[in-house]
Amino acid sequence: MQIVIIGSGNVAYHLAKAFTRKNIPLKQIYGRNTSDLKEISEELGIPYSTDQLEDAEVYLICVSDRSVEDISKIITKKECLVAHTSGSLAKEILMGEYRKSSFYPLQTFSKSKDLEYKNIPFFIETENEEDKNVLMHLASQISEKVMESNFEKRKYIHLTAVFACNFVNHLFSRAKEISDSQDIPFDYFLPLIDETVQKIHEIDPRSAQTGPAVRNDTRILEMHEQLLKGESLEIYKTINHSIKKMYEL
Amino acid sequence: MQIVIIGSGNVAYHLAKAFTRKNIPLKQIYGRNTSDLKEISEELGIPYSTDQLEDAEVYLICVSDRSVEDISKIITKKECLVAHTSGSLAKEILMGEYRKSSFYPLQTFSKSKDLEYKNIPFFIETENEEDKNVLMHLASQISEKVMESNFEKRKYIHLTAVFACNFVNHLFSRAKEISDSQDIPFDYFLPLIDETVQKIHEIDPRSAQTGPAVRNDTRILEMHEQLLKGESLEIYKTINHSIKKMYEL
């Protein structure tokens, strides 16, 4: 099958790398950023272009959510399958007369970090059964976790990821702000953070909850509120309230 | 040095285990729960008692925050050093005529989970230099990260841990609620969560922030708000607001 990847960012790079490792040939990697494309092309041995989009059977659009609609217009071919890789866009955002689909890898990608691709879940949505089989097969070659998912479900997947990944990272930022203010190295908290995450590999997070809110330890909760201000105080109150509600305290 | 551990919960067990591994003898493990004490005693080869507290130079009180004050009264000896292991209590909570101190390990302990003790930070507070040296030396034998810390600082350490550990776990609970509601296995999010945490071992969480709020993607933020209700919606709004404030969006 002839596959072209559109984009030169982290998702494009890692998908290209995952396919290459499994000896799935890519016909081209196409995008706007010449230096990024050149780098990927040299590392993975895939032809690249910034102006001549190759003819292919499958196009995977790996660009930021805001650019998907625009870039989708450059594919003028009708007899082909085009997939975007976004968790938050309907497949109908794609503007062309081709068959539309979504090929969503649930992971946070950094260029420099190597990943175990087989653990990355892929969520697939297509217009018909045949396209579904094509994309499910493609994803299965790099990942062990491939699921069909319509846009409605994909929205919730992305929303779950926002809580479990984006919001968690922001809590780390606010935590570091507190420790920085007291000259306590944030590194000191990494073993605790690692253990917190390790735990939920084994038990339901609901059963793993610890801390003053779930103990309803008002003395400590009040002491903490006096140490905080601004957004951190708002977060403190909101999450404690949510913990108390969850455990009916 | 003669050391007695008071308590039979997770902190007591892990401290006893860490000392035993480093061939630091414990004179006794003392507590109320016979079956827990017996189990620890058999595994680690430490004498235990529920009624006869042994004479010692150092007592480490490893019980829940609420029980520290009460249990501290059973030590009637004056010429000894008593430490509690809480992040949220002043050393003055200890009720006796002995020398008071705090010996706070920053970790979340589960009985069944083995831990790399050398990575656990210990925070020490004492009444005088000599006691400080004793506890710093003791902690250094099991951990590579030992720091002095008064109560004021310890409060902030605990508060940082609440954000980075307790609150993060609650976000996992709320995330799982969302994925459960759509029959998406929460396991699918574990590689993403692992990667989120792995990242902050290498870069500042502030630089690692991703997601719709930091991109100020109002279309997605509004769509997400319509999918949420109750406490999760409140958390969604509060954290997005905090992200926007942090990045001045």
Side-chain angles (χ1 to χ4, degrees):
Chain A
M1 197 185 324
Q2 297 178 316
I3 306 169
V4 162
I5 286 184
I6 298 175
S8 59
N10 296 337
V11 178
Y13 168 71
H14 279 287
L15 275 190
K17 194 165 162 180
F19 286 128
T20 306
R21 281 201 185 157
K22 292 292 175 180
N23 298 315
I24 300 166
L26 297 174
K27 195 166 179 188
Q28 183 186 55
I29 178 153
Y30 178 93
R32 279 178 292 204
N33 186 317
T34 313
S35 73
D36 283 355
L37 286 172
K38 208 174 159 189
E39 209 175 289
I40 301 173
S41 168
E42 278 169 10
E43 182 183 337
L44 304 174
I46 306 163
Y48 77 92
S49 174
T50 57
D51 51 7
Q52 286 290 333
L53 186 66
E54 281 278 3
D55 184 75
E57 290 158 83
V58 176
Y59 294 89
L60 299 175
I61 299 183
C62 308
V63 301
S64 66
D65 284 9
R66 282 181 183 154
S67 309
V68 171
E69 185 172 345
D70 265 2
I71 203 101
S72 75
K73 295 174 187 162
I74 64 159
I75 307 163
T76 51
K77 188 179 175 182
K78 292 179 185 178
E79 281 303 311
C80 63
L81 176 60
V82 179
H84 70 64
T85 49
S86 160
S88 303
L89 297 175
K91 62 185 188 325
E92 290 72 25
I93 193 100
L94 299 169
M95 291 292 145
E97 292 178 59
Y98 40 72
R99 300 181 321 276
K100 296 161 188 178
S101 60
S102 168
F103 187 84
Y104 172 44
L106 179 65
Q107 186 49 281
T108 172
F109 296 98
S110 317
K111 206 146 201 170
S112 57
K113 281 212 77 231
D114 214 6
L115 285 167
E116 190 78 271
Y117 298 115
K118 71 172 166 48
N119 295 330
I120 300 175
F122 277 82
F123 298 93
I124 308 289
E125 183 187 16
T126 56
E127 289 177 4
N128 63 50
E129 203 68 13
E130 202 182 321
D131 288 343
K132 189 186 91 182
N133 293 339
V134 167
L135 292 187
M136 295 284 273
H137 178 71
L138 198 59
S140 303
Q141 290 181 270
I142 52 179
S143 164
E144 289 170 359
K145 291 175 183 158
V146 182
M147 250 179 123
E148 202 181 352
S149 155
N150 60 21
F151 181 43
E152 200 48 36
K153 195 164 182 173
R154 198 162 62 244
K155 278 189 221 172
Y156 283 97
I157 295 166
H158 185 223
L159 184 56
T160 307
V162 167
F163 275 74
C165 166
N166 303 152
F167 284 2
V168 161
N169 183 76
H170 184 64
L171 287 185
F172 294 148
S173 293
R174 289 293 180 196
K176 185 169 183 294
E177 223 174 38
I178 301 169
S179 63
D180 283 355
S181 77
Q182 302 295 312
D183 295 319
I184 305 152
F186 190 62
D187 280 3
Y188 277 43
F189 297 88
L190 293 177
L192 178 66
I193 291 169
D194 289 345
E195 183 64 17
T196 302
V197 168
Q198 199 43 51
K199 266 189 187 173
I200 62 152
H201 281 256
E202 289 156 38
I203 54 173
D204 190 314
R206 214 184 148 110
S207 320
Q209 190 63 50
T210 55
V214 74
R215 292 196 311 266
N216 206 1
D217 192 332
T218 29
R219 197 188 58 81
I220 294 183
L221 294 172
E222 281 165 19
M223 181 180 87
H224 282 168
E225 288 190 10
Q226 290 181 354
L227 303 177
L228 292 165
K229 59 178 194 294
E231 282 70 45
S232 296
L233 178 59
E234 289 312 309
I235 290 175
Y236 192 83
K237 286 179 182 170
T238 305
I239 297 191
N240 280 335
H241 177 73
S242 174
I243 291 174
K244 286 183 193 171
K245 277 276 185 177
M246 182 175 269
Y247 298 90
E248 291 168 8
L249 299 171
Chain B
M1 197 186 322
Q2 298 179 318
I3 306 168
V4 162
I5 285 183
I6 298 175
S8 60
N10 296 337
V11 178
Y13 167 71
H14 280 288
L15 275 190
K17 194 164 162 182
F19 286 129
T20 307
R21 281 200 185 159
K22 292 292 176 179
N23 298 315
I24 299 165
L26 297 173
K27 194 165 179 188
Q28 183 184 54
I29 179 154
Y30 178 93
R32 278 178 291 204
N33 187 316
T34 313
S35 73
D36 283 354
L37 286 173
K38 207 173 160 189
E39 208 176 289
I40 301 173
S41 168
E42 278 170 11
E43 181 184 336
L44 304 173
I46 306 163
Y48 77 92
S49 174
T50 56
D51 51 8
Q52 287 289 332
L53 186 66
E54 281 278 2
D55 185 75
E57 289 157 86
V58 176
Y59 294 90
L60 299 175
I61 299 183
C62 308
V63 300
S64 66
D65 284 10
R66 282 181 183 154
S67 309
V68 171
E69 185 172 343
D70 265 1
I71 203 100
S72 74
K73 294 175 188 162
I74 64 158
I75 307 163
T76 50
K77 189 180 174 183
K78 291 178 186 177
E79 281 304 308
C80 64
L81 175 60
V82 178
H84 69 64
T85 50
S86 160
S88 303
L89 297 175
K91 63 186 188 322
E92 290 73 25
I93 193 100
L94 299 168
M95 291 292 145
E97 291 178 60
Y98 40 73
R99 299 180 322 274
K100 295 161 188 178
S101 60
S102 168
F103 187 84
Y104 173 45
L106 179 65
Q107 186 50 282
T108 171
F109 296 99
S110 317
K111 206 148 202 170
S112 57
K113 280 212 76 233
D114 214 5
L115 286 166
E116 190 79 271
Y117 298 116
K118 72 173 164 48
N119 295 330
I120 301 175
F122 277 81
F123 298 92
I124 308 289
E125 183 187 15
T126 57
E127 288 176 6
N128 63 50
E129 203 67 12
E130 203 181 319
D131 289 342
K132 189 186 90 182
N133 293 338
V134 167
L135 292 187
M136 295 285 273
H137 178 72
L138 198 58
S140 303
Q141 289 180 269
I142 52 180
S143 164
E144 288 170 0
K145 292 175 184 158
V146 181
M147 250 179 124
E148 201 180 354
S149 155
N150 59 23
F151 181 43
E152 200 50 35
K153 194 165 183 172
R154 198 162 64 242
K155 277 189 222 172
Y156 283 97
I157 296 166
H158 185 223
L159 184 56
T160 307
V162 166
F163 275 73
C165 165
N166 303 152
F167 284 2
V168 161
N169 184 75
H170 184 64
L171 287 185
F172 294 148
S173 293
R174 289 293 181 196
K176 185 170 183 294
E177 223 175 38
I178 301 169
S179 63
D180 283 355
S181 77
Q182 302 294 314
D183 295 320
I184 305 152
F186 190 64
D187 280 2
Y188 277 42
F189 297 88
L190 293 177
L192 178 65
I193 291 169
D194 290 344
E195 184 63 18
T196 302
V197 167
Q198 200 43 52
K199 267 190 187 174
I200 62 151
H201 280 256
E202 289 156 37
I203 54 173
D204 190 314
R206 215 185 147 110
S207 320
Q209 190 64 49
T210 55
V214 74
R215 292 196 311 266
N216 206 2
D217 193 332
T218 29
R219 197 187 58 80
I220 293 183
L221 295 172
E222 280 165 17
M223 181 180 88
H224 281 168
E225 287 190 11
Q226 290 181 354
L227 303 177
L228 292 165
K229 59 178 195 291
E231 284 69 45
S232 295
L233 178 58
E234 289 312 309
I235 291 175
Y236 191 82
K237 287 179 180 171
T238 305
I239 297 192
N240 281 335
H241 177 73
S242 174
I243 292 173
K244 287 182 190 171
K245 277 277 185 180
M246 181 175 269
Y247 298 89
E248 290 168 7
L249 298 171

